[in-house]
Amino acid sequence: HDMEGGRTMGYADGTAKEYTRQNDIFADAFNFYLYGGAQTIKPEQLRELDTAELSILPDAESRGKRNGRSMQRYRDVLKSVSAMEDGRAAYLLLGIENQSAVHYAAPVKNLLYDALQYAGQVERRAKVHREERDYQGRKEGEFLSGFYLDDKLVPVITLLIQFSPEPWDGPRSLRDMMDAEDPALLALVPDYPVHLLSPYELTEDENEKFHTSLGDVLTFIKYSKDKEKMLNWLEGAGADVQFGRREVDVLNGCVNAKLSMRQDKEAVNVCEAIRQMIEEATEDAVRKVKAEAENAVREAKTETENALKENTINSIRNLMANLHLTAEQAISALGISEADGKVFLKNL
């Protein structure tokens, strides 16, 4: 996996996936995005579905033929909303894609996932008709397509949640990715928007519309690269924010928050945790400066001792050369002790 800020993007996306797959977080995200925070979708109405979709992609060798290679693609989270409206158990399919970095082909990625889901619905209806053999009175087109005139698709909505503080500078729709300006041409090209929930674009007022930790998690991510704004938030609206294990994991995974929790604790006060981190960082900085100063003193002392030693050796050699003294006589003449004299003898 690519590395970003000392963490793997794969690990970051994995923690985000585990966080958003929880029904209360999942429902909160869609209630915020679709209904302005109104509790329309209830967590107990959600049922997780298989996220694997099978796509058939043409091989270079099979171009022009019907066969190709199959590829299994996995979206992050897919859930059905079951509310028994109009006698139908599942009236909406909701998917979440999590991004720890901007995805510059997001419209195509989401379009493919949703298209495969719709294709799967058509195939499942065709399978039901084949098994029930209910062709009587149906048009030829209904029989051939396997999808009857009164069959209906369940809507699929994919929400992309960005788990990073950077602004989303990627395309927000399929047309944004196209090199075309002719209005007449673009009018014939179906667009496909990215439904985006980005911390960078989240306002403090909007944070009030969340009913789980999701709003505070996204706000923490938003300020994760701005210490001053983070402290202002923690001293104000975020002063009483409590994060549990799931929130700590996703923040450590996505923005390297370095939050820690004791094993015997179920939650941590974010303001206190950040202050503790600042205190520990300050103490570490003081210890580092102190250690560097002590090392500098030791190095200076060593350099001085080496210089004195070198000067003494030179003095001994000068006496030996100019007065024709032996090494022992020169050492004695300089008043050097017997013990130190032995050391100097070894260095002559």
Side-chain angles (χ1 to χ4, degrees):
H1 295 295
D2 292 337
M3 293 296 295
E4 186 178 273
R7 60 184 171 83
T8 65
M9 290 176 62
Y11 176 71
D13 290 335
T15 59
K17 174 182 175 180
E18 291 306 308
Y19 178 65
T20 56
R21 76 185 305 174
Q22 299 166 105
N23 280 358
D24 59 335
I25 303 298
F26 190 98
D28 200 23
F30 275 98
N31 282 329
F32 169 82
Y33 191 83
L34 296 178
Y35 304 111
Q39 299 299 282
T40 303
I41 299 172
K42 306 293 191 298
E44 60 271 17
Q45 295 174 339
L46 296 170
R47 183 171 65 89
E48 189 158 348
L49 302 176
D50 184 8
T51 60
E53 302 288 357
L54 193 67
S55 58
I56 305 298
L57 303 177
D59 281 325
E61 297 83 5
S62 62
R63 204 168 282 165
K65 303 177 184 177
R66 293 194 177 188
N67 62 313
R69 60 187 174 90
S70 64
M71 176 181 293
Q72 205 145 24
R73 308 180 72 91
Y74 295 85
R75 70 161 78 222
D76 285 350
V77 189
L78 181 68
K79 293 179 186 280
S80 64
V81 179
S82 301
M84 293 303 295
E85 286 200 357
D86 299 327
R88 300 189 62 174
Y91 72 94
L92 192 62
L93 291 176
L94 303 176
I96 283 183
E97 288 299 304
N98 306 291
Q99 290 294 151
S100 59
V102 176
H103 195 299
Y104 292 95
V108 170
K109 178 185 178 184
N110 291 357
L111 170 60
L112 177 58
Y113 283 137
D114 293 352
L116 289 172
Q117 177 54 231
Y118 286 127
Q121 290 186 44
V122 170
E123 178 55 34
R124 284 189 288 274
R125 291 306 305 159
K127 182 179 179 182
V128 169
H129 295 316
R130 287 196 301 270
E131 291 174 348
E132 296 182 354
R133 305 183 66 81
D134 55 354
Y135 309 131
Q136 190 67 32
R138 294 293 175 179
K139 299 177 182 179
E140 182 182 7
E142 291 177 290
F143 172 76
L144 292 175
S145 64
F147 196 80
Y148 292 178
L149 189 60
D150 51 356
D151 285 334
K152 301 297 178 184
L153 293 173
V154 176
V156 182
I157 300 174
T158 296
L159 176 61
L160 192 155
I161 304 180
Q162 184 183 3
F163 281 86
S164 67
E166 292 80 14
W168 183 274
D169 61 352
R172 292 175 181 254
S173 73
L174 191 61
R175 287 181 184 173
D176 287 347
M177 298 177 65
M178 295 180 179
D179 185 16
E181 297 180 0
D182 184 351
L185 175 64
L186 288 174
L188 298 177
V189 178
D191 204 0
Y192 207 81
V194 171
H195 300 299
L196 175 68
L197 181 51
S198 169
Y200 184 85
E201 300 170 10
L202 191 68
T203 66
E204 289 188 13
D205 291 339
E206 287 178 323
N207 189 15
E208 300 298 321
K209 297 178 182 179
F210 290 95
H211 293 258
T212 67
S213 64
L214 180 59
D216 290 327
V217 164
L218 295 178
T219 300
F220 188 102
I221 291 173
K222 177 179 180 177
Y223 297 140
S224 61
K225 287 191 175 181
D226 191 324
K227 292 181 181 178
E228 184 176 345
K229 289 184 178 180
M230 173 69 80
L231 291 175
N232 288 339
W233 175 63
L234 291 174
E235 291 172 359
D240 297 322
V241 170
Q242 301 272 338
F243 282 158
R245 181 69 58 187
R246 62 184 188 177
E247 290 79 17
V248 168
D249 286 347
V250 75
L251 289 173
N252 287 346
C254 292
V255 293
N256 197 24
K258 297 180 181 177
L259 296 172
S260 60
M261 281 186 65
R262 286 169 46 183
Q263 291 295 330
D264 59 337
K265 295 289 184 180
E266 293 183 359
V268 59
N269 180 278
V270 183
C271 186
E272 292 177 3
I274 294 295
R275 285 201 178 114
Q276 183 180 351
M277 287 169 58
I278 292 174
E279 289 175 3
E280 291 175 354
T282 302
E283 291 173 359
D284 287 343
V286 169
R287 281 195 293 268
K288 183 179 180 181
V289 170
K290 186 177 179 181
E292 289 175 350
E294 290 174 349
N295 286 336
V297 170
R298 280 195 295 269
E299 290 175 0
K301 183 179 179 181
T302 301
E303 289 177 3
T304 301
E305 290 174 348
N306 289 339
L308 289 172
K309 183 178 179 181
E310 186 65 28
N311 288 337
T312 303
I313 291 174
N314 289 334
S315 297
I316 294 171
R317 286 174 175 163
N318 286 336
L319 289 175
M320 292 172 64
N322 296 328
L323 300 180
H324 305 290
L325 300 178
T326 64
E328 290 80 0
Q329 290 172 332
I331 289 172
S332 177
L334 291 171
I336 299 172
S337 67
E338 184 179 348
D340 290 340
K342 293 180 179 178
V343 174
F344 285 115
L345 283 172
K346 294 178 180 179
N347 288 277
L348 288 172

